[in-house]
Every structure is written in structure tokens, then in C-alpha cells.
Amino acid sequence: MGFTRAELESFRDATIPDLVEPGVRLLFVGINPGLWTAATGTPFARPGNRFWPALVEARVLPRLPRYAEELGEDDRRMIFDAGVGVSNLVARATARADELSRDELRTGAAALVDRVAAWRPRVVAVVGLTAYRQGFRRPRAVAGRQEESIADVPTWVLPNPSGLNAHDTVATLARAYAEPARAAGVPV
């Protein structure tokens, strides 16, 4: 499945529902949906995004979902059975996360606190250090487990799996993602 630039652009500012089910143990929080994600309704959907491959390599998921398209029920069930959920700091789809304002990130962080309080996962893992720093007003935060929690839930900040983050590979992302997964009790 592919999209033209114009087709993707038509999804600008769209939103997608959170990929969360009651009993979520490990909640991954992206920055915001990209246009490909908005087009498919699947978090981290852009081909080449390393999120799902890293979860498989980290043994959080037993197999790779068909993530560059709308998730089928079998893929959704596999993700939920692993105890994994996905949300975003900001719901609005953009081509790049740097299109978001600091105010949007702060408003999104406040709303995330409410969702985490309602869902009560064992662990929250925010993928995107700069967005976390801006949204939660923690300019000196570093990657890894945070001293501050979100809604009293242990919180990690992890590298962003976007292809724009050239510093990390699937292997380094898998190592980073495995730590909060172990803390949440979700590795396969």
C-alpha cells in the first residue's frame, strides 16, 4: 500500500484513536501521528519506522504486525495480548513532529496525565526526548527511567524510532525498549 504526497497531505491535522485496551501494562507514547499513521489509523505506520521491528527484536511482540496498513484484528489482538498500548502526546497529525508548538506539547502532556491516570498501565514509555522535555517542562531530562512519574506510573523516555532519528538502529532501539518492557512484565 502506498500513498501519493497529495493523498498523505489530505490527512494533515487528522487524529487517530489510541491503540489501548483495558489492562494495558506498557503504554508507549509517541509525539504525534505522522501523515502515514493518520492515513492508515495505525501508530508508527510509515514504512521504515523502526518501532514495531524494535518491539519484535526486544521480544515484546512475538512477530511483526502488518503495520504499514490498517492493523487487522489478529495484529491488534497480538499487541493487546502482549499488554502493549500506544498513545500520543499530541493527537494532531503532521508531516514532522517539529511542526508542533511548545504549547501543543504542554497541552498534550497534561491530557496524557489524565489518560494514564484512567488506564493505570504499569509503565509509561515516551518515545521522543525533546518532546518530553518540552511537554512536561523538564528541560534537563535524559533518556532512560525518569525520577518523575506520570500519574504515579513509572516513566521512561526512549529514543524516537522515526527514520529521522539516524542515531539509533533497530538493535539499539530494541535494547532501550526492553528495559521498560521488563519493568512492565511484558516480554514474550
Side-chain angles (χ1 to χ4, degrees):
M1 170 185 276
F3 298 100
T4 67
R5 186 177 300 261
E7 287 170 331
L8 287 174
E9 191 58 37
S10 75
F11 288 95
R12 182 174 290 279
D13 299 326
T15 61
I16 66 165
D18 294 309
L19 183 65
V20 175
E21 185 175 80
V24 61
R25 293 188 306 260
L26 175 58
L27 179 66
F28 283 97
V29 180
I31 301 167
N32 74 310
L35 299 180
W36 198 290
T37 289
T40 62
T42 300
F44 301 102
R46 186 168 190 80
N49 190 299
R50 297 161 299 174
F51 179 76
W52 299 108
L55 290 187
V56 172
E57 187 159 326
R59 297 192 171 153
V60 172
L61 296 178
R63 65 170 174 77
L64 197 61
R66 290 174 298 282
Y67 63 92
E69 56 193 59
E70 183 177 355
L71 285 177
E73 189 52 39
D74 59 328
D75 286 333
R76 293 173 67 82
R77 181 57 26 219
M78 173 192 62
I79 293 163
F80 293 149
D81 286 350
V84 172
V86 181
S87 187
N88 286 293
L89 279 174
V90 175
R92 181 173 75 89
T94 60
R96 295 174 50 109
D98 62 9
E99 296 174 39
L100 301 173
S101 72
R102 192 172 294 222
D103 285 342
E104 280 181 288
L105 291 168
R106 289 180 178 162
T107 299
L112 177 67
V113 171
D114 294 340
R115 291 193 309 277
V116 170
W119 294 332
R120 304 297 314 150
R122 292 182 188 167
V123 170
V124 173
V126 179
V127 293
L129 180 58
T130 301
Y132 175 82
R133 286 174 175 166
Q134 292 178 0
F136 287 94
R137 294 183 169 107
R138 297 183 181 136
R140 291 186 171 83
V142 297
R145 185 166 181 177
Q146 302 301 296
E147 289 183 26
E148 303 88 358
S149 63
I150 295 175
D152 296 322
V153 174
T155 301
W156 271 256
V157 175
L158 304 172
N160 190 312
S162 165
L164 298 175
N165 174 9
H167 302 312
D168 285 288
T169 65
V170 169
T172 62
L173 291 168
R175 283 193 296 276
Y177 294 3
E179 184 180 354
R182 280 192 301 273
V186 301
V188 174

